[in-house]
Amino acid sequence: MKWTNLILAGVFTLFAIFQFNDPDALVWILMYGVLAEVCGFAAFGKGHADITLAVMLLCILLAFAHFPGLQAFITNDDGMS
């Protein structure tokens, strides 16, 4: 499990780095950065269940906040997808 968490921490760090040109980059950089931190701490046995739960709930709330944009993307009829 240690290696899985280390790999996930690295992947989330790369995701955060490559968000620099996104219109809402700060939101995504913070989200991916926090996820990388949680995975990094978990890899070394320093994870906390309450912090992990709070991050999970925050990610779920952000997913629901972006749902209208996803719905508009799916139902667009301008030929672009």
Side-chain angles (χ1 to χ4, degrees):
M1 200 63 172
K2 178 179 182 175
W3 287 105
T4 303
N5 282 320
L6 283 174
I7 291 169
L8 285 173
V11 168
F12 284 131
T13 300
L14 287 174
F15 286 170
I17 290 170
F18 289 117
Q19 292 300 318
F20 64 91
N21 63 350
D22 201 8
D24 55 348
L26 184 61
V27 172
W28 291 105
I29 290 171
L30 288 174
M31 186 174 80
Y32 287 133
V34 167
L35 290 171
E37 186 176 2
V38 166
C39 290
F41 280 129
F44 295 105
K46 304 289 184 191
H48 296 284
D50 53 347
I51 294 174
T52 303
L53 179 63
V55 169
M56 186 174 68
L57 291 174
L58 178 65
C59 289
I60 290 170
L61 287 174
L62 283 172
F64 280 121
H66 284 90
F67 183 73
L70 175 65
Q71 188 177 18
F73 175 76
I74 291 171
T75 60
N76 72 357
D77 58 350
D78 64 354
M80 305 290 288
S81 57

